[in-house]
Amino acid sequence: MFKPQGIIAPVLTALDDNEKFNPGAYRNYINYLINAGIHGIFPLGTNGEFYGFNEAEKLEIIKVAVEAANGRVPVYAGTGCVTTKETVEFSKKVIDLGVDVLSIVSPYYIAVTQDDLYRHYATIAQNVNAPILMYNIPARTGNNIDAKTIKKLAQFENIIGVKDSSGNFDNTLKYIENTDPRLSIMAGSDSLIL
């Protein structure tokens, strides 16, 4: 199974003056990042403003990212949606574009329990045939994925890790010390990387 490593750069989504996706500028930016030595790209994450695009736009953005990377580095595409059903359906479409990893943010705008989060990710893992990196960013989603929940989810082989953007080092440490060692724990807050 795929093993995340190194610096995975979030990719800002390039727009033109009319707020339409600008594929040329986007390709140039991805080339710049790869030439600078990053180890992977992450289109349509929080910094890529995934929430600001409809499905057709997201698919175009990811298609261009995969083409621009051209196998030089892995592509971690953000496919998390508000509902589990929508996330599964969208993730399946994205897999067909040739991404390497699906980065899936926890449900946002709704109150969820740890059991809800477990069922959400378990359902996705059972229905989507691709490596999955869970994405924990409680400041934006209103929920924190507990280490115990992540440990339970480690039973699914295609769940390969979690990106923790909580900004709380204790939370990241709990992931490292109390979950399955098979999982990759990635620091999503720049100030905590070292």
Side-chain angles (χ1 to χ4, degrees):
M1 188 55 69
F2 185 86
K3 183 80 172 163
Q5 58 187 1
I7 297 172
I8 300 12
V11 184
L12 304 175
T13 305
L15 304 177
D16 63 21
D17 291 339
N18 296 313
E19 297 184 13
K20 299 289 183 196
F21 176 54
N22 184 331
Y26 198 60
R27 283 187 183 91
N28 290 341
Y29 181 45
I30 289 171
N31 284 327
Y32 169 80
L33 292 170
I34 293 172
N35 291 335
I38 55 92
H39 304 98
I41 59 169
F42 181 6
L44 292 178
T46 304
N47 289 319
E49 298 179 323
F50 71 93
Y51 49 83
F53 301 99
N54 64 38
E55 184 177 286
E57 291 169 321
K58 289 180 190 179
L59 290 170
E60 181 187 5
I61 291 164
I62 292 169
K63 182 175 182 274
V64 171
V66 169
E67 289 170 356
N70 195 26
R72 294 177 290 169
V73 297
V75 177
Y76 297 66
T79 62
C81 302
V82 176
T83 68
T84 306
K85 178 183 175 190
E86 185 182 7
T87 301
V88 167
E89 290 172 357
F90 182 60
S91 294
K92 286 179 176 179
K93 292 176 184 176
V94 169
I95 292 167
D96 292 339
L97 298 178
V99 301
D100 299 283
V101 179
L102 303 175
S103 177
I104 300 179
V105 70
S106 58
Y108 44 94
Y109 193 69
I110 55 174
V112 293
T113 66
Q114 291 302 308
D115 191 48
D116 294 332
L117 289 171
Y118 173 80
R119 286 194 317 271
H120 175 72
Y121 282 109
T123 301
I124 296 165
Q126 291 167 330
N127 289 282
V128 177
N129 186 22
I132 294 169
L133 183 71
M134 295 178 287
Y135 183 8
N136 185 53
I137 184 164
R140 298 290 179 261
T141 62
N143 60 69
N144 186 66
I145 310 169
D146 190 89
K148 291 176 186 172
T149 304
I150 291 172
K151 187 172 184 173
K152 273 176 59 178
L153 287 163
Q155 69 181 294
F156 300 101
E157 261 190 56
N158 58 334
I159 292 182
I160 60 170
V162 60
K163 174 184 174 184
D164 185 24
S165 294
S166 66
N168 179 341
F169 184 69
D170 289 337
N171 193 69
T172 304
L173 199 56
K174 283 179 187 172
Y175 289 171
I176 294 168
E177 294 177 343
N178 299 307
T179 63
D180 191 307
R182 175 186 70 77
L183 299 177
S184 295
I185 310 302
M186 305 191 76
S189 299
D190 295 349
S191 62
L192 300 179
I193 288 174
L194 290 179

mmCIF file of all heavy atoms in Angstrom, residues 156-175:
data_model
loop_
_atom_site.group_PDB
_atom_site.id
_atom_site.type_symbol
_atom_site.label_atom_id
_atom_site.label_comp_id
_atom_site.label_asym_id
_atom_site.label_seq_id
_atom_site.Cartn_x
_atom_site.Cartn_y
_atom_site.Cartn_z
ATOM 1 N N PHE A 156 -8.959 -0.936 8.205
ATOM 2 C CA PHE A 156 -9.158 -0.839 6.755
ATOM 3 C C PHE A 156 -7.811 -0.542 6.095
ATOM 4 O O PHE A 156 -7.235 0.516 6.303
ATOM 5 C CB PHE A 156 -10.189 0.240 6.424
ATOM 6 C CG PHE A 156 -11.530 -0.031 7.046
ATOM 7 C CD1 PHE A 156 -11.921 0.631 8.199
ATOM 8 C CD2 PHE A 156 -12.386 -0.974 6.500
ATOM 9 C CE1 PHE A 156 -13.150 0.375 8.792
ATOM 10 C CE2 PHE A 156 -13.610 -1.246 7.080
ATOM 11 C CZ PHE A 156 -13.993 -0.570 8.232
ATOM 12 N N GLU A 157 -7.327 -1.484 5.308
ATOM 13 C CA GLU A 157 -5.994 -1.358 4.724
ATOM 14 C C GLU A 157 -5.812 -0.137 3.846
ATOM 15 O O GLU A 157 -4.715 0.391 3.732
ATOM 16 C CB GLU A 157 -5.658 -2.613 3.919
ATOM 17 C CG GLU A 157 -4.797 -3.578 4.682
ATOM 18 C CD GLU A 157 -4.286 -4.683 3.793
ATOM 19 O OE1 GLU A 157 -3.646 -4.392 2.769
ATOM 20 O OE2 GLU A 157 -4.556 -5.841 4.145
ATOM 21 N N ASN A 158 -6.901 0.299 3.199
ATOM 22 C CA ASN A 158 -6.743 1.451 2.310
ATOM 23 C C ASN A 158 -6.755 2.783 3.060
ATOM 24 O O ASN A 158 -6.495 3.828 2.463
ATOM 25 C CB ASN A 158 -7.768 1.441 1.180
ATOM 26 C CG ASN A 158 -9.201 1.420 1.641
ATOM 27 O OD1 ASN A 158 -9.517 0.957 2.739
ATOM 28 N ND2 ASN A 158 -10.093 1.904 0.803
ATOM 29 N N ILE A 159 -7.004 2.772 4.365
ATOM 30 C CA ILE A 159 -6.789 3.982 5.169
ATOM 31 C C ILE A 159 -5.322 3.957 5.552
ATOM 32 O O ILE A 159 -4.869 3.094 6.300
ATOM 33 C CB ILE A 159 -7.715 4.036 6.396
ATOM 34 C CG1 ILE A 159 -9.167 4.235 5.937
ATOM 35 C CG2 ILE A 159 -7.279 5.155 7.337
ATOM 36 C CD1 ILE A 159 -10.187 4.358 7.044
ATOM 37 N N ILE A 160 -4.560 4.908 5.003
ATOM 38 C CA ILE A 160 -3.110 4.869 5.138
ATOM 39 C C ILE A 160 -2.570 5.865 6.163
ATOM 40 O O ILE A 160 -1.394 5.830 6.485
ATOM 41 C CB ILE A 160 -2.424 5.095 3.773
ATOM 42 C CG1 ILE A 160 -2.815 6.448 3.187
ATOM 43 C CG2 ILE A 160 -2.756 3.954 2.822
ATOM 44 C CD1 ILE A 160 -2.009 6.850 1.965
ATOM 45 N N GLY A 161 -3.415 6.764 6.663
ATOM 46 C CA GLY A 161 -2.932 7.715 7.646
ATOM 47 C C GLY A 161 -3.882 8.860 7.855
ATOM 48 O O GLY A 161 -5.029 8.834 7.416
ATOM 49 N N VAL A 162 -3.362 9.879 8.529
ATOM 50 C CA VAL A 162 -4.153 11.076 8.823
ATOM 51 C C VAL A 162 -3.258 12.308 8.744
ATOM 52 O O VAL A 162 -2.109 12.286 9.190
ATOM 53 C CB VAL A 162 -4.847 10.976 10.211
ATOM 54 C CG1 VAL A 162 -3.843 10.829 11.336
ATOM 55 C CG2 VAL A 162 -5.760 12.164 10.464
ATOM 56 N N LYS A 163 -3.793 13.337 8.137
ATOM 57 C CA LYS A 163 -3.142 14.645 8.148
ATOM 58 C C LYS A 163 -3.791 15.412 9.293
ATOM 59 O O LYS A 163 -5.000 15.647 9.289
ATOM 60 C CB LYS A 163 -3.369 15.376 6.822
ATOM 61 C CG LYS A 163 -2.837 16.801 6.822
ATOM 62 C CD LYS A 163 -3.177 17.510 5.526
ATOM 63 C CE LYS A 163 -2.755 18.975 5.615
ATOM 64 N NZ LYS A 163 -3.141 19.725 4.410
ATOM 65 N N ASP A 164 -2.986 15.787 10.283
ATOM 66 C CA ASP A 164 -3.528 16.494 11.442
ATOM 67 C C ASP A 164 -3.223 17.978 11.345
ATOM 68 O O ASP A 164 -2.091 18.401 11.504
ATOM 69 C CB ASP A 164 -2.954 15.931 12.742
ATOM 70 C CG ASP A 164 -3.586 16.567 13.962
ATOM 71 O OD1 ASP A 164 -4.727 17.071 13.851
ATOM 72 O OD2 ASP A 164 -2.946 16.570 15.028
ATOM 73 N N SER A 165 -4.259 18.751 11.068
ATOM 74 C CA SER A 165 -4.141 20.207 11.006
ATOM 75 C C SER A 165 -4.848 20.850 12.193
ATOM 76 O O SER A 165 -5.360 21.960 12.097
ATOM 77 C CB SER A 165 -4.727 20.732 9.693
ATOM 78 O OG SER A 165 -3.955 20.297 8.605
ATOM 79 N N SER A 166 -4.854 20.131 13.307
ATOM 80 C CA SER A 166 -5.510 20.667 14.503
ATOM 81 C C SER A 166 -4.707 21.809 15.109
ATOM 82 O O SER A 166 -5.260 22.649 15.815
ATOM 83 C CB SER A 166 -5.685 19.567 15.563
ATOM 84 O OG SER A 166 -4.422 19.133 16.046
ATOM 85 N N GLY A 167 -3.407 21.835 14.846
ATOM 86 C CA GLY A 167 -2.554 22.851 15.462
ATOM 87 C C GLY A 167 -2.210 22.511 16.900
ATOM 88 O O GLY A 167 -1.568 23.287 17.595
ATOM 89 N N ASN A 168 -2.632 21.333 17.341
ATOM 90 C CA ASN A 168 -2.431 20.894 18.720
ATOM 91 C C ASN A 168 -1.431 19.739 18.714
ATOM 92 O O ASN A 168 -1.766 18.633 18.303
ATOM 93 C CB ASN A 168 -3.774 20.461 19.312
ATOM 94 C CG ASN A 168 -3.676 19.969 20.728
ATOM 95 O OD1 ASN A 168 -2.610 19.610 21.216
ATOM 96 N ND2 ASN A 168 -4.806 19.940 21.397
ATOM 97 N N PHE A 169 -0.205 20.009 19.196
ATOM 98 C CA PHE A 169 0.818 18.973 19.153
ATOM 99 C C PHE A 169 0.434 17.757 19.989
ATOM 100 O O PHE A 169 0.765 16.626 19.640
ATOM 101 C CB PHE A 169 2.172 19.512 19.608
ATOM 102 C CG PHE A 169 3.260 18.487 19.473
ATOM 103 C CD1 PHE A 169 3.707 18.076 18.224
ATOM 104 C CD2 PHE A 169 3.823 17.903 20.596
ATOM 105 C CE1 PHE A 169 4.688 17.105 18.096
ATOM 106 C CE2 PHE A 169 4.810 16.929 20.473
ATOM 107 C CZ PHE A 169 5.248 16.544 19.224
ATOM 108 N N ASP A 170 -0.270 17.968 21.091
ATOM 109 C CA ASP A 170 -0.708 16.838 21.917
ATOM 110 C C ASP A 170 -1.611 15.901 21.112
ATOM 111 O O ASP A 170 -1.555 14.691 21.269
ATOM 112 C CB ASP A 170 -1.442 17.318 23.172
ATOM 113 C CG ASP A 170 -0.498 17.962 24.176
ATOM 114 O OD1 ASP A 170 0.710 17.656 24.126
ATOM 115 O OD2 ASP A 170 -0.963 18.768 24.986
ATOM 116 N N ASN A 171 -2.449 16.474 20.264
ATOM 117 C CA ASN A 171 -3.325 15.659 19.421
ATOM 118 C C ASN A 171 -2.496 14.825 18.436
ATOM 119 O O ASN A 171 -2.718 13.628 18.286
ATOM 120 C CB ASN A 171 -4.311 16.554 18.671
ATOM 121 C CG ASN A 171 -5.431 15.768 18.027
ATOM 122 O OD1 ASN A 171 -6.273 15.215 18.720
ATOM 123 N ND2 ASN A 171 -5.432 15.702 16.712
ATOM 124 N N THR A 172 -1.526 15.476 17.785
ATOM 125 C CA THR A 172 -0.659 14.765 16.844
ATOM 126 C C THR A 172 0.105 13.656 17.559
ATOM 127 O O THR A 172 0.223 12.537 17.052
ATOM 128 C CB THR A 172 0.328 15.741 16.173
ATOM 129 O OG1 THR A 172 -0.412 16.794 15.533
ATOM 130 C CG2 THR A 172 1.197 15.043 15.144
ATOM 131 N N LEU A 173 0.598 13.953 18.748
ATOM 132 C CA LEU A 173 1.339 12.963 19.529
ATOM 133 C C LEU A 173 0.452 11.773 19.900
ATOM 134 O O LEU A 173 0.891 10.620 19.850
ATOM 135 C CB LEU A 173 1.908 13.620 20.784
ATOM 136 C CG LEU A 173 3.052 12.910 21.489
ATOM 137 C CD1 LEU A 173 4.212 12.681 20.525
ATOM 138 C CD2 LEU A 173 3.505 13.723 22.687
ATOM 139 N N LYS A 174 -0.806 12.036 20.227
ATOM 140 C CA LYS A 174 -1.744 10.938 20.516
ATOM 141 C C LYS A 174 -1.906 10.046 19.289
ATOM 142 O O LYS A 174 -1.974 8.824 19.407
ATOM 143 C CB LYS A 174 -3.107 11.486 20.941
ATOM 144 C CG LYS A 174 -3.158 11.996 22.358
ATOM 145 C CD LYS A 174 -4.536 12.534 22.685
ATOM 146 C CE LYS A 174 -4.542 13.209 24.038
ATOM 147 N NZ LYS A 174 -5.809 13.894 24.303
ATOM 148 N N TYR A 175 -1.988 10.662 18.118
ATOM 149 C CA TYR A 175 -2.088 9.875 16.886
ATOM 150 C C TYR A 175 -0.850 8.987 16.721
ATOM 151 O O TYR A 175 -0.951 7.813 16.397
ATOM 152 C CB TYR A 175 -2.220 10.768 15.662
ATOM 153 C CG TYR A 175 -3.528 11.492 15.489
ATOM 154 C CD1 TYR A 175 -3.659 12.466 14.519
ATOM 155 C CD2 TYR A 175 -4.640 11.217 16.279
ATOM 156 C CE1 TYR A 175 -4.858 13.139 14.314
ATOM 157 C CE2 TYR A 175 -5.828 11.889 16.096
ATOM 158 C CZ TYR A 175 -5.935 12.852 15.110
ATOM 159 O OH TYR A 175 -7.122 13.525 14.918
#
